[in-house]
Amino acid sequence: MLFIAWIVAFVLLFYYTLNFNWYASVADSLITNILLAMSCLVVGTILRFYQPKQEIVLFVIMLAVVLATAVSFVSTYVLSTLFVRYLSYVSFLDVSMPFRTIVLFVFLAWCAFANVLWYKLEEQSETQERLHTAQNLAKEAELNKLRHQLQPHFLFNSLNSVYALTIVNPKEAGTMITKLASFLRGTLKRDDEVWVSVEEEMEYIQLYLDIEKVRFSHRLNLDIRIDEDTLGLCLPGTLLQPIVENAIKFGLYNTSAAILISVHVKVEHNLLQISVKNPFDPEMKATGGTGFGLTAIRRRLYLLFADSSLLQTAALEDNIYLTTLKIPQKYDQNDTH
Amino acid sequence: MIRTILIDDEPLARDVVKHYLKNFPEVEVLAECSDGFEGLKAITQFKPDFIFLDIQMPKINGFEMLELVENPPAVIFTTAFDEYAIKAFEVNAADYLLKPIEQDRFDQAMRKLPARLKQAEPTEELLESAGMSPSQQHRVVVKTNGVIKIIPVSDIHYFEADDDHVKLSTTEGNFFKNKTMSFFEKTLDSEQFIRIHRSYLINLAQVNKIELKEKDSYIVLLKSDIWLPVSKTGYIKLKAALGL
C-alpha cells in the first residue's frame, strides 16, 4: 500500500512539476522506485548476513554509493531507450542523472543505517536474554550445590537425635551439638579449589562418622586407619566426604543389621590412596540404580586431574563394596592451590 | 487403651516419641521396629490401632510397607526431610510430624487421634501420590506367600489387569499387587512402559515383534514368548514409542 502511494506521489511529481506526459511519468516512477525497493532488499539481506566489525559506516556508504549509481544508470538507460522520441524527457534524464544518483544514495544510505540499527537492537536484546538465562542457571546451580552441601536429610535427622539426647542424655547432647557445628563449619569451608591436609580432612570425616554413630550407635562400627606418613599429604576437600557418605548410605541406611565401615589411608606409588569399605545388599543394588552415585566424583576428578580412573570401585566377596580414591601429590607441598 | 507401634530406624527418634507419649497414659506401645519388614510383622501380629511411621528406612520405605498391609491402621508419619513425602501428606491431609518433633505439634496430633480412629483412613490415595516420588519409580514391592520381594521395574515384562488386582509378569514368575493399571501407567516411566491395551501395560524393552492379526488388529510378541493383543490406540502409542 505504502509503496503504491509512494509511486503515485512520484508520478504526480513528474507530471505536474516537471510537465512530462503521463506515460513517461508513470514509467519513470515505476522503474526507478522498483529498482530502489529491490536495492533496499539487497541492502537488508547483505547486512543481515554480513556486518563488518570495523568501519561499518564506510561499508554502508560504499554499499549505498554502488547501488545508487547502478540503479541510476540502469533506470536512465532503460527509460531513454523506451522514450527515444520524447526529446525533452531524454534530455531531462541526461541532465538529472547526478541529481537522481544523489537522491537514490540518500534513500539507500538511510535504509542501510536503519537496518544496521535494527539488527544491533535485536542482537542486544538477544544477548541480554542469554545473559539472563545464564545468570538464572548459575543461581540455580549454586542453590543446588548449597542444598547438597547441607544434606538436609542428614541435618534434620541429626538435629532430631540431638533433641532426643537433651532428654535422655543431656551431657552427650552438648558434645553432639559442638560436633555438628564443627562439621557444618567444615562443610561450608569446602571448595574444589582448596586442598586440605589428610589430617584436617580425616578430622572432618571423623566428625561426620561420629554424628552418624550417635544416630546408629547400636549398629555402626568403624575401623579407621591412617598411616603416619600420610598426615602431611594433601587432597581436594570435596572428594572424600561424598564417598564416605555413599558408604553410609548403602552400608548403613539400607540395612538394619550391625555393619562395619572401614577407611584406610596410605601412600602407594607416591599416590595418596584412601580405601573405603562398606557392606551392601546385592538386591538393593539392582533397584538403587547403578554405580552407587559416584559419577559426580568421577567427573570432578576428571576436571581436577584429567583422569577419572583415580576412583576405582569393586564388589568384593561377602557383599563388601570397596571404593578406592587415589590423589596425585603436588610437587610443592606448601602450595595449597 | 489405644495400642500403637513405633516404626523408625533410629532408636533416639523412637525415644523422643516415647518421651512425649508419657503425657498420654491411655496409649500403650506394643512394639518398636527398626525397619519396614519388622514393622509389617508387628502390625500383622498386634493389629495396633495406629502406628508412628518413619518414611526413609532400610530396605523398604514407610510407604512401601503400608502398601503391603491389609487394612492398614491409622498412621502418624514422622520424617526429617523428604519433599515428595511431605507433598503427599499435604495433598491427602495425612497427619505427619517433622523431625525434630515439637511437643505442641505432637500433642495436637494426639488430640486429633480419637476422631481419626473412628473413620477409615484415606490410605489408598496417599500411597498413590507417594508413588510419584522418584525413589519409588524404579521398583515395586510385593508380598507373596509371606515373603517380601523388591522387584526392579526393568525385570517386569508386563502388567495385566486381573479383577481388582494387577498381575506382574517377571523373569521370576508372576506376582500380584493391590493396585490399578492406571496407577502403574501414571507412575512408571512412560517411555519404558506402554499401555497397549485396556488390560496390558508392557515393558518396551521386552518387545520382540508386532504382527498384523487381521484387519486393523495387531498382536505383539514378547521376548518371554507371550503374545498379547494390541488395541487400536495401543498400536498408535506403541508405534510412537518405537519411533515408527
Side-chain angles (χ1 to χ4, degrees):
Chain A
M1 267 316 279
L2 211 64
F3 187 64
I4 292 169
W6 181 254
I7 288 173
V8 169
F10 267 83
V11 171
L12 296 175
L13 179 84
F14 282 126
Y15 185 76
Y16 287 110
T17 50
L18 299 168
N19 290 318
F20 298 127
N21 68 21
W22 281 111
Y23 292 119
S25 303
V26 172
D28 193 332
S29 174
L30 263 180
I31 291 172
T32 314
N33 282 312
I34 285 174
L35 283 171
L36 178 64
M38 276 161 60
S39 310
C40 279
L41 285 178
V42 169
V43 167
T45 318
I46 290 177
L47 289 174
R48 169 188 222 147
F49 295 109
Y50 176 70
Q51 284 195 24
K53 289 265 174 290
Q54 287 150 0
E55 310 285 3
I56 185 137
V57 176
L58 192 70
F59 174 74
V60 164
I61 290 174
M62 292 294 285
L63 194 66
V65 166
V66 169
L67 283 168
T69 317
V71 169
S72 164
F73 263 103
V74 171
S75 63
T76 311
Y77 175 75
V78 171
L79 287 166
S80 55
T81 336
L82 275 176
F83 299 97
V84 184
R85 308 236 179 93
Y86 192 178
L87 287 175
S88 65
Y89 175 66
V90 173
S91 70
F92 160 78
L93 278 178
D94 287 342
V95 173
S96 70
M97 179 128 130
F99 177 68
R100 191 185 283 263
T101 312
I102 290 170
V103 171
L104 283 169
F105 165 75
V106 170
F107 271 113
L108 279 169
W110 176 82
C111 167
F113 280 116
N115 261 301
V116 169
L117 202 68
W118 169 259
Y119 288 123
K120 273 263 147 62
L121 279 175
E122 206 165 62
E123 196 183 291
Q124 208 165 33
S125 76
E126 236 169 64
T127 317
Q128 203 134 37
E129 206 166 295
R130 255 205 312 270
L131 200 74
H132 195 68
T133 321
Q135 270 172 344
N136 271 351
L137 279 177
K139 232 183 263 172
E140 216 166 282
E142 181 77 1
L143 203 67
N144 272 337
K145 193 179 141 203
L146 259 176
R147 207 174 282 158
H148 180 80
Q149 269 183 348
L150 281 178
Q151 307 170 53
H153 189 257
F154 167 79
L155 186 58
F156 287 118
N157 271 314
S158 302
L159 284 173
N160 193 48
S161 302
V162 175
Y163 179 56
L165 283 176
T166 60
I167 299 164
V168 298
N169 187 350
K171 199 171 157 232
E172 180 71 23
T175 319
M176 173 97 161
I177 287 175
T178 52
K179 278 186 177 165
L180 195 56
S182 307
F183 175 74
L184 286 177
R185 205 168 285 130
T187 303
L188 292 175
K189 232 173 40 189
R190 275 181 204 229
D191 193 306
D192 266 345
E193 297 296 312
V194 180
W195 287 53
V196 293
S197 71
V198 167
E199 193 172 6
E200 191 184 330
E201 182 70 355
M202 288 313 290
E203 268 171 33
Y204 174 66
I205 296 293
Q206 188 70 52
L207 281 171
Y208 173 67
L209 290 172
D210 281 350
I211 294 164
E212 291 288 14
K213 191 135 173 71
V214 171
R215 289 175 60 197
F216 299 98
S217 60
H218 56 302
R219 58 191 192 88
L220 173 60
N221 299 298
L222 299 170
D223 171 24
I224 298 173
R225 277 177 296 151
I226 308 165
D227 290 1
E228 267 314 310
D229 53 352
T230 60
L231 288 176
L233 302 183
C234 292
L235 72 162
T238 47
L239 296 173
L240 189 54
Q241 201 274 335
I243 293 173
V244 177
E245 189 189 325
N246 219 45
I248 290 279
K249 194 171 152 204
F250 287 93
L252 184 69
Y253 294 171
N254 244 340
T255 160
S256 29
I259 60 125
L260 172 71
I261 288 186
S262 44
V263 183
H264 189 188
V265 189
K266 60 179 176 186
V267 186
E268 208 173 273
H269 305 302
N270 288 324
L271 293 177
L272 172 65
Q273 183 180 316
I274 303 170
S275 37
V276 178
K277 276 190 215 165
N278 64 278
F280 74 99
D281 187 336
E283 245 179 79
M284 287 296 161
K285 198 187 171 214
T287 55
T290 48
F292 284 98
L294 293 172
T295 336
I297 301 166
R298 221 166 248 137
R299 202 173 51 229
R300 278 228 212 77
L301 280 169
Y302 184 77
L303 289 176
L304 286 164
F305 303 105
D307 184 359
S308 47
S309 71
L310 293 171
L311 182 74
Q312 301 281 348
T313 56
L316 309 180
E317 281 167 36
D318 302 326
N319 294 332
I320 298 290
Y321 198 74
L322 168 68
T323 311
T324 312
L325 174 69
K326 291 178 186 157
I327 303 292
Q329 292 301 298
K330 301 199 168 177
Y331 296 108
D332 183 2
Q333 290 293 330
N334 297 323
D335 181 8
T336 49
H337 262 268
Chain B
M1 261 332 223
I2 304 173
R3 305 154 78 242
T4 190
I5 289 176
L6 314 185
I7 308 169
D8 193 313
D9 61 330
E10 290 183 48
L12 282 171
R14 298 198 298 266
D15 285 347
V16 176
V17 174
K18 274 190 291 181
H19 177 75
Y20 284 155
L21 278 176
K22 281 182 193 156
N23 294 341
F24 299 88
E26 71 278 16
V27 177
E28 181 191 4
V29 179
L30 301 168
E32 290 182 43
C33 311
S34 58
D35 66 41
F37 289 6
E38 278 181 32
L40 199 57
K41 227 189 285 171
I43 292 171
T44 323
Q45 188 186 339
F46 296 107
K47 306 237 174 312
D49 299 309
F50 79 104
I51 56 174
F52 287 96
L53 181 63
D54 188 15
I55 303 303
Q56 292 218 344
M57 287 188 296
K59 290 170 188 159
I60 57 173
N61 71 32
F63 294 127
E64 288 168 331
M65 188 206 82
L66 270 189
E67 279 180 6
L68 302 174
V69 181
E70 282 172 51
N71 306 317
V75 182
I76 294 180
F77 293 96
T78 59
T79 187
F81 180 84
D82 185 331
E83 294 168 73
Y84 290 93
I86 292 167
K87 212 195 275 167
F89 299 146
E90 278 167 357
V91 171
N92 297 282
D95 217 339
Y96 66 98
L97 301 169
L98 292 177
K99 295 176 188 172
I101 302 166
E102 258 176 81
Q103 173 110 49
D104 286 351
R105 206 34 210 90
F106 184 90
D107 294 351
Q108 193 189 324
M110 291 304 290
R111 277 197 300 273
K112 274 197 295 188
L113 191 65
R116 284 182 58 210
L117 291 178
K118 281 185 204 129
Q119 62 191 29
E121 292 278 310
T123 319
E124 261 326 293
E125 288 119 63
L126 174 71
L127 293 178
E128 293 243 332
S129 42
M132 304 287 178
S133 82
S135 62
Q136 272 177 255
Q137 278 166 5
H138 301 292
R139 61 192 208 184
V140 179
V141 180
V142 294
K143 192 164 80 169
T144 128
N145 305 325
V147 180
I148 295 160
K149 273 203 75 70
I150 300 165
I151 309 171
V153 291
S154 54
D155 284 1
I156 298 172
H157 300 162
Y158 66 92
F159 295 84
E160 182 179 350
D162 188 277
D163 282 334
D164 52 349
H165 287 74
V166 171
K167 186 176 93 178
L168 284 67
S169 170
T170 77
T171 328
E172 293 177 53
N174 296 335
F175 298 96
F176 291 88
K177 185 89 185 163
N178 202 353
K179 288 260 177 193
T180 61
M181 289 292 279
S182 63
F183 168 78
F184 287 113
E185 194 187 359
K186 255 191 293 180
T187 54
L188 295 174
D189 180 4
S190 61
E191 282 180 14
Q192 196 186 355
F193 285 89
I194 312 294
R195 183 84 175 260
I196 56 158
H197 188 272
R198 197 162 41 85
S199 304
Y200 299 100
L201 177 69
I202 62 163
N203 188 342
L204 202 58
Q206 287 291 322
V207 173
N208 196 345
K209 63 177 168 184
I210 306 164
E211 266 183 23
L212 188 68
K213 195 171 148 215
E214 47 202 57
K215 191 178 177 294
D216 272 352
S217 157
Y218 290 87
I219 45 174
V220 63
L221 177 65
L222 300 187
K223 287 184 179 145
S224 47
D225 240 2
I226 287 171
W227 288 98
L228 296 177
V230 184
S231 71
K232 236 185 227 175
T233 47
Y235 182 65
I236 295 167
K237 277 191 249 171
L238 193 58
K239 250 181 27 175
L242 289 166
L244 295 174

